[in-house]
Amino acid sequence: MKLLEGKKALIFGMANKRSIAWGIAQAFHQHGAELGFSYAGEALARRVQPLAESLGVSFVEPCDVADDAAIDQVAQKAKVHFGEIDILVHSIGFANRDELQGAYYNTSREGFHLAMDISVYSFTGLARAFQPILRTGGSLLTLTYYGSEKVAPNYNIMGVAKAALEASTRYLAYDFGPQNVRVNAISAGPIRTLAAAGVSGFKTMYRQFTEFAPLPQEIGIEDVGNTAVYLCSELGAKTTGQVIYVDSGYSILGVPTPREKTE
Ligand code: NAD
Ligand code: 0WE
């Protein structure tokens, strides 16, 4: 059964074949959606173009979400290419690498602003720019992480940013409700992507994840893709403003404990 037949989806945040955005793109494609991709800058074109071609995607546009004019431009181009769209996926996050280690209180004002701008404001900015061409029954979707709710050592400013992103999801859901556009977030467990590469402590956390989680299974980009399909399809009708967990149940734990050590 194809759940997204006739729907047009624009996906932001593709970097390479490990990107969560790519997992979502593949799942949407399998479910019959017509796709468009946007990526951060020309440095990524070489990686994104072949992925787009492999799914027959012709709308592939750069957009630095720090730039209002760039957001307006991609919205204008999408209007020309698609007319209206049904789905917009925001799979973007960024903080300075040096703020993702050590004490949170060392976050600089500039680093704080940058992380909030790229990881939080951009979702709201995109929502505003695309509002006129979002079709009724459509969906906005963003990606978040459990470090928004509980302390994940080193996640620091990104945890604060994800908390604000989740709050934005609720306010946007309220705003877009009358237009019958739903707004949700997927909270994914740790996945080895570019954004996780070289992050201090990620390896340990990744290894422990499957020892602790209710389901002793790693999270893949295809798992996030499948949940994105459900949320953005008719199956997700009446769900808006929510954070849906794709985390093998990790977030239900009060006392994460390695299973080997339980009797
Ligand atoms: P990724 O590196 O593949 O994707 C992050 C994307 O953000 C990249 O494509 C990058 O180009 C883009 N980006 C950064 N600055 C930008 C800018 N100024 N303009 C436009 N795009 C910009 O890594 P990912 O893990 O797929 O991350 C996607 C989302 O998923 C992020 O919001 C991340 O926080 C979230 N997430 C990741 C994990 C994980 O463990 N990997 C877990 C939960 C949530
Ligand atoms: O949201 C993320 C990734 C966030 C991220 C990662 C980087 C690394 C490279 C944002 N900006 C940058 N900037 C860089 O220069 N995740 C959920 C993955 C992640 O990142 C962590 C984690 C987890 C999990 C950082 C510290 C601790 C845990």
Side-chain angles (χ1 to χ4, degrees):
M1 186 179 46
K2 290 201 172 186
L3 293 170
L4 299 174
E5 205 86 72
K7 300 230 190 225
K8 299 174 186 182
L10 198 45
I11 303 175
F12 287 78
M14 195 91 56
N16 57 36
K17 65 178 190 340
R18 296 182 149 206
S19 291
I20 292 174
W22 176 238
I24 293 173
Q26 289 176 96
F28 280 10
H29 176 79
Q30 282 160 16
H31 282 273
E34 182 186 342
L35 303 179
F37 295 169
S38 178
Y39 59 97
E42 287 308 331
L44 290 170
R46 193 172 55 89
R47 298 217 173 266
V48 176
Q49 200 63 49
L51 296 176
E53 275 164 28
S54 74
L55 298 186
V57 174
S58 63
F59 187 92
V60 186
E61 292 291 337
C63 173
D64 176 356
V65 297
D67 180 356
D68 285 333
I71 291 179
D72 287 342
Q73 248 174 46
V74 76
Q76 198 50 49
K77 283 183 178 164
K79 186 179 177 174
V80 172
H81 186 95
F82 293 108
E84 294 186 305
I85 66 166
D86 300 279
I87 300 167
L88 186 151
V89 177
H90 172 271
S91 185
I92 291 171
F94 188 80
N96 286 325
R97 182 176 288 275
D98 59 356
E99 317 247 25
L100 297 176
Q101 52 195 321
Y104 168 69
Y105 63 66
N106 285 326
T107 304
S108 68
R109 190 183 297 273
E110 197 189 334
F112 187 99
H113 285 155
L114 178 72
M116 294 298 273
D117 190 23
I118 306 300
S119 313
V120 186
Y121 177 76
S122 63
F123 188 43
T124 300
L126 286 171
R128 183 174 60 255
F130 283 86
Q131 184 275 329
I133 65 162
L134 275 172
R135 198 180 284 160
T136 181
S139 269
L140 304 178
L141 184 67
T142 190
L143 273 299
T144 186
Y145 177 63
Y146 187 52
S148 64
E149 297 171 60
K150 302 287 179 185
V151 172
N154 300 313
Y155 198 58
N156 294 356
I157 181 54
M158 280 306 298
V160 174
K162 291 302 192 189
L165 179 68
E166 291 169 22
S168 298
T169 299
R170 291 184 282 273
Y171 280 88
L172 290 169
Y174 184 79
D175 289 348
F176 279 88
Q179 194 178 334
N180 191 26
V181 168
R182 298 177 295 103
V183 187
N184 292 292
I186 293 175
S187 186
I191 306 176
R192 285 178 212 258
T193 63
L194 191 61
V199 152
S200 63
F202 187 84
K203 249 192 185 154
T204 317
M205 201 193 56
Y206 189 83
R207 186 164 26 77
Q208 286 177 344
F209 179 83
T210 49
E211 291 172 31
F212 294 174
L215 296 169
Q217 291 162 29
E218 293 173 1
I219 310 301
I221 59 173
E222 63 287 346
D223 299 313
V224 179
N226 290 335
T227 293
V229 168
Y230 127 71
L231 274 175
C232 297
S233 75
E234 277 311 300
L235 295 185
K238 315 299 157 65
T239 295
T240 195
Q242 297 299 323
V243 177
I244 306 296
Y245 295 85
V246 179
D247 69 346
S248 289
Y250 190 92
S251 60
I252 68 169
L253 298 172
V255 183
T257 309
R259 217 179 271 275
E260 280 79 0
K261 292 190 181 140
T262 57
E263 295 306 317

